[in-house]
Amino acid sequence: MDGGSTKVLFLSAEEAWFWFTRCQLARWEGARIESTTKSERPCGPDDIYRWACELYRARAIGPAHMEVMAEYGFLERAPDDHLDSEIIAAALWTEGMRRLEGLLIEKGVVQP
């Protein structure tokens, strides 16, 4: 590894997705994403998005999944399945995260 840096795997697809959306928001606000610590993630934020798009192109997730993942990702919370207004979003979120997690485990960025 570069200069003794340690790759820190994500604990879940949700953690990876929220990290990606925080990085994206920071970019939109003008930040440059650079590593400044010896502890780094095993991929870049764009990789997370690219892999979600890969699932979309393979029809493993659909437009509704992507919409929910974007909306709640930027809210930095999962939809609440106890709220009538979020039940459908919660089901889409759970399914999308489950499929994304399988791919992220395969890519070696989420702990199995």
Side-chain angles (χ1 to χ4, degrees), residues 7 13 26 42 56 59 74 94:
K7 300 292 182 189
Y56 178 80
R59 295 192 172 138
F74 290 119
T94 299

Side-chain angles (χ1 to χ4, degrees), residues 88-102:
I88 293 171
L92 290 165
W93 175 271
T94 299
E95 185 174 39
M97 287 298 126
R98 183 175 48 81
R99 292 187 178 162
L100 181 60
E101 187 153 311

